Amino acid sequence: MTVTPPTVAAETPRRSLRRFRSIKGRQTWAGLAMMAPAGILLVLFLGIPVILAFGLSFTNARLISPNPPRFVGLDNFMRAFTADPVFIDSVWNTIVFALVVVPVQAGLGLLLALLVNRRLRGVTAFRVIFFIPVVTSIVVVSILWKFMYQEDGLINSMIDMLTFGAWSGVDWLNNPNTALGAIIVLSIWQAVGFHMIIWLAGLQTIPEELYEAAKMDGAGPWRQFTAVTWPGLRPTMVFVLVTITIAALGLFVQVDVMTQGGPVNSTTTIVFHAVRKGYEQQEIGYAAAISLIFFVAVLIIALIQRRLTREKA
Amino acid sequence: MKRRTPPIIGSAALVGVLALTGCGQAGQGSGTTEDGRTQLTMWTHSAGNPAELEVYERIISDFNDSQDEYEVVHESFPQGAYNDAIVAAAASGDLPCLLDLDGPIMPNWAWAGYLQPLDLPEELTDSLLPTAVGVWDDQIYSAGYWDAALSIFARKSVLDQNGIRIPTVDQPWTTDEFGRALATLKAAGYDTPIDIGAEDAGEWWPYAYSPLLQSFGGDLIDRSTMLTSDGALNGAEAVEWGQWFQSLFADGYASNSATIGNQEFVDDEVALSYTGVWNALAALDAVGDDLLILPPPDLGTGPKIGGGSWQWAISSSCPDPEGAREYLEFSFADEYITAFADNQIVIPATESAAADSKYFGEDGVLRPFVELSQKFAVLRPETPAYAVISSTFETAAKDIMNGADVQATLDRAVSEIDANIASNDGYGFQ
């Protein structure tokens, strides 16, 4: 009885290998055919637009216009860096946003993951609570927070109550000094749950035996973290950093819903500026140039990150 | 080699199918019905506006019943997505025969070649309010059944109590008088005495606040050439407007973080409300006889309000413009215009339709709006550059509201608009 399963198991690979050889070509083509829908969609909606944007960025094309687009060389790029103060503000805001959001969100995510990785009663409930903002549409979240940030909104009422009326708060989104900060807080709150889940997945790949061994060696919780947890999380860390950076650089929806780049350009971002130029003001050529600059910048940052976090052989 | 073909054919077929579904929509308006009538496609922005849609459905079914040559088939889009749908349709050559559009965008689309001249009989277009007729390049490209108007709502009792003069169309508040009224009302306990709707975004900003700029004597663009904003949007009068506008917020007379709409006025949290005719009936229900519909203040060159609302046009690709014209002529009957006005609370475009209206007739409660529209309406500049002017003005005005330096902000807006006009070779004006 117990002998039969191994024989069957031994036979299966051999048979499938034979079949694979005999119809290898057909399988390759079947594979390609199955890839085709995704491949065609990728080319249509990713490849072609990127090539188009590259071409458009050297012209003065308009979204709608009876005049044919004219080749203008590097004019659009010159204009972005020398004659468009809003673009410079956008670049600056995007950098500030990323510089704050990347470490804080990654750090908070890890902290939450460590907290909900314990075997506590009701820990699933906490995981769900932290994850809820992630599955809520960012548009909905932005609209809700917009109400909360109002001068007589929830946040100011809370501050007012906690300080017994000593400090009544500001009109967060309409003050150039606080608007970007307000968006940063909201953005971190919204996406931190997602990165918590990624960290959590990473934590659970670390074998329990390592912790047992560490305990046997007399390591306390902090030493366990630095010697076992952190090295074990390295691949997760790279993934989290790269995804947060790219997401942070692409900041758009919150700005579009909450501030439209204001007040006084304090929250405008590169993507928002490109959308505004391209669609509202119909300067598709210039918007394509901005997008291209953005694309190159993200590429460079991602490459630098890859290099800094690569596995040292 | 033989084995290679199937997947390639498969992929090619898939691409073909994708392409065909794209083309399946092409040539909107060239269909025929079973009984051989030519179909005319029509797009409206009215999805989500049952009052408006109801009238359209009535016109269309009346028209279709009266016809053995044409049949109008309509499709409604939500307003927020409507302009994008039109631009996308135009780019792929799928424009419907009949389409409605917001007045100020018309020159842009006419210039881009989306529209053809309306060619409606002159006695029809002459009977409409001038702001309900869209002219570009000396041709009429669009016409509408109604116009909207802004005014200042107030409670008579509140003004009387505080000893504030009630302004009239012939004698509106002056700048000083208006300022004193606001100060008095603030002292009387209104936290922010006037709601001007600054929490809103988009086209509301140029629609509502550029008339104030014009009342000061400035403008969005030099209308004699349509080639530059220099001097108009950053001249002395414009700066004066900017400082005045900024002070409304700095002095705490207006707020920019309330709810969109007229709720603050209805709840008596603000004494005055600078808002549109579309909110009038609700205000009337709440306030009753105490409601005053006042002209905006005269800030130097007389009161001004924005003119031009949604209008109808015929696309340049319409295969049967004769039929489209016939439908439009049919639809401009007074009974329909009256129905629009009373259903939607907007100003009817013809005097004869106004006479039959429940609200806008001689004794109608909303009659003041007709007068305001006739006397004070100014169109937004009729140039294809308006798309840029509109969003640049919105950003500049918001910056000013938030305390930015007025002259520098307006100078920057001017250079942005002028650069855009130059890069479009003057939009056909030079």
Side-chain angles (χ1 to χ4, degrees), chain A residues 279-303:
Chain A
Y279 291 98
E280 262 179 43
Q281 309 196 345
Q282 307 182 347
E283 296 184 75
I284 273 296
Y286 182 51
I290 295 176
S291 312
L292 195 66
I293 297 171
F294 176 66
F295 172 73
V296 172
V298 171
L299 191 69
I300 292 173
I301 292 170
L303 286 177

Side-chain angles (χ1 to χ4, degrees), chain B residues 193-247:
Chain B
I194 187 167
D195 175 12
I196 64 169
E199 63 281 353
D200 210 339
E203 188 52 32
W204 166 255
W205 275 69
Y207 176 66
Y209 307 137
S210 71
L212 300 174
L213 164 70
Q214 286 150 354
S215 187
F216 266 100
D219 206 341
L220 293 168
I221 188 169
D222 178 352
R223 292 193 195 220
S224 60
T225 63
M226 293 287 191
L227 288 173
T228 176
S229 289
D230 197 25
L233 187 51
N234 62 351
E237 294 89 0
V239 173
E240 218 179 302
W241 162 80
Q243 278 154 353
W244 173 82
F245 189 66
Q246 196 167 49
S247 73

Side-chain angles (χ1 to χ4, degrees), chain A residues 3-77:
Chain A
V3 188
T4 12
T7 31
V8 171
E11 216 176 350
T12 327
R14 224 184 304 148
R15 204 186 285 159
S16 74
L17 197 69
R18 221 182 305 137
R19 192 186 296 152
F20 179 76
R21 275 205 200 103
S22 65
I23 49 169
K24 189 175 162 196
R26 204 188 297 168
Q27 277 194 334
T28 312
W29 284 111
L32 281 180
M34 280 188 253
M35 200 202 73
I40 290 169
L41 291 178
L42 268 179
V43 170
L44 265 181
F45 294 109
L46 203 73
I48 294 177
V50 167
I51 296 167
L52 274 180
F54 188 81
L56 281 174
S57 63
F58 297 98
T59 69
N60 68 346
R62 306 260 314 157
L63 196 58
I64 52 177
S65 164
N67 305 338
R70 222 180 21 238
F71 182 78
V72 294
L74 292 173
D75 276 11
N76 286 331
F77 298 93

Side-chain angles (χ1 to χ4, degrees), chain A residues 227-244:
Chain A
V228 179
T229 313
W230 186 242
L233 283 177
R234 195 180 168 79
T236 318
M237 191 256 303
V238 175
F239 178 79
V240 166
L241 273 191
V242 172
T243 49
I244 296 186

Side-chain angles (χ1 to χ4, degrees), chain A residues 29 40 44 60 62 64-67 70 85-86 151 171 174 260 263-265 276-277 280-283, chain B residues 4 7 14 87 108-109 111 114 201 256-257 387-388 391-392 395 398-399 402 412 416 420 423-425 427:
Chain A
W29 284 111
I40 290 169
L44 265 181
N60 68 346
R62 306 260 314 157
I64 52 177
S65 164
N67 305 338
R70 222 180 21 238
V86 184
E151 201 157 14
D171 190 0
N174 284 312
Q260 284 94 41
V264 206
N265 292 326
R276 184 194 203 102
K277 281 286 166 197
E280 262 179 43
Q281 309 196 345
Q282 307 182 347
E283 296 184 75
Chain B
R4 266 184 205 192
L14 188 60
V87 172
N108 195 308
W109 290 358
W111 171 71
Y114 293 2
N256 57 4
S257 59
V388 173
S391 69
T392 311
T395 311
K398 278 188 176 160
D399 286 353
N402 286 306
R412 198 153 110 173
E416 209 171 308
N420 183 280
S423 80
N424 283 284
D425 309 321
Y427 288 103

Side-chain angles (χ1 to χ4, degrees), chain B residues 53-406:
Chain B
L53 218 49
E54 190 195 306
V55 187
Y56 279 126
E57 269 155 16
R58 209 166 92 204
I59 301 177
I60 291 166
S61 82
D62 286 359
F63 176 77
N64 288 345
D65 290 347
S66 76
Q67 277 290 318
D68 43 20
E69 210 175 334
Y70 301 108
E71 181 182 27
V72 171
V73 186
H74 87 292
E75 205 174 324
S76 296
F77 293 76
Q79 184 167 345
Y82 183 74
N83 279 5
D84 294 343
I86 292 282
V87 172
S92 55
D94 285 345
L95 278 178
C97 237
L98 288 154
L99 54 120
D100 70 343
L101 45 77
D102 199 3
I105 197 82
M106 182 277 293
N108 195 308
W109 290 358
W111 171 71
Y114 293 2
L115 310 176
Q116 55 176 296
L118 217 45
D119 276 340
L120 287 178
E122 249 173 59
E123 64 265 24
L124 171 60
T125 45
D126 285 351
S127 71
L128 302 175
L129 281 175
T131 50
V133 181
V135 180
W136 159 247
D137 211 9
D138 298 329
Q139 299 255 33
I140 293 177
Y141 277 91
S142 62
Y145 309 120
W146 67 78
D147 199 0
L150 295 180
S151 77
I152 291 183
F153 293 1
R155 286 174 168 80
K156 188 168 187 303
S157 55
V158 171
L159 295 193
D160 285 346
Q161 257 165 37
N162 291 288
I164 296 167
R165 181 180 73 86
I166 293 169
T168 61
V169 170
D170 297 317
Q171 228 188 336
W173 281 325
T174 61
T175 320
D176 291 341
E177 223 181 342
F178 184 57
R180 277 201 304 277
L182 289 176
T184 312
L185 290 166
K186 192 164 172 79
Y190 287 99
D191 213 13
T192 49
I194 187 167
D195 175 12
I196 64 169
E199 63 281 353
D200 210 339
E203 188 52 32
W204 166 255
W205 275 69
Y207 176 66
Y209 307 137
S210 71
L212 300 174
L213 164 70
Q214 286 150 354
S215 187
F216 266 100
D219 206 341
L220 293 168
I221 188 169
D222 178 352
R223 292 193 195 220
S224 60
T225 63
M226 293 287 191
L227 288 173
T228 176
S229 289
D230 197 25
L233 187 51
N234 62 351
E237 294 89 0
V239 173
E240 218 179 302
W241 162 80
Q243 278 154 353
W244 173 82
F245 189 66
Q246 196 167 49
S247 73
L248 282 184
F249 298 93
D251 298 345
Y253 293 147
S255 148
N256 57 4
S257 59
T259 45
I260 294 175
N262 202 33
Q263 198 55 40
E264 275 85 7
F265 178 75
V266 169
D267 297 341
D268 201 22
E269 283 169 22
V270 296
L272 306 173
S273 178
Y274 180 53
T275 188
V277 58
W278 55 89
N279 281 324
L281 207 57
L284 202 65
D285 285 344
V287 182
D289 286 346
D290 207 13
L291 180 74
L292 292 172
I293 297 165
L294 306 175
D298 175 0
L299 301 167
T301 66
K304 307 274 184 231
I305 53 176
S309 188
W310 287 81
Q311 301 173 359
W312 281 93
I314 302 176
S315 76
S316 52
S317 60
C318 178
D320 212 329
E322 282 313 311
R325 234 160 255 146
E326 203 168 311
Y327 166 79
L328 281 186
E329 256 182 80
F330 181 88
S331 73
F332 271 95
D334 278 341
E335 58 164 317
Y336 301 129
I337 298 184
T338 309
F340 275 121
D342 287 349
N343 265 26
Q344 263 188 288
I345 317 300
V346 284
I347 302 164
T350 65
E351 200 45 59
S352 42
D356 296 337
S357 155
K358 192 158 50 155
Y359 303 115
F360 296 94
E362 266 325 313
D363 317 313
V365 279
L366 304 180
R367 181 70 191 178
F369 282 106
V370 180
E371 212 175 340
L372 290 177
S373 177
Q374 284 167 349
K375 288 209 160 133
F376 302 135
V378 184
L379 283 177
R380 282 154 281 178
E382 294 162 288
T383 159
Y386 186 73
V388 173
I389 295 176
S390 154
S391 69
T392 311
F393 177 79
E394 184 190 351
T395 311
K398 278 188 176 160
D399 286 353
I400 289 172
M401 167 179 85
N402 286 306
D405 180 70
V406 174

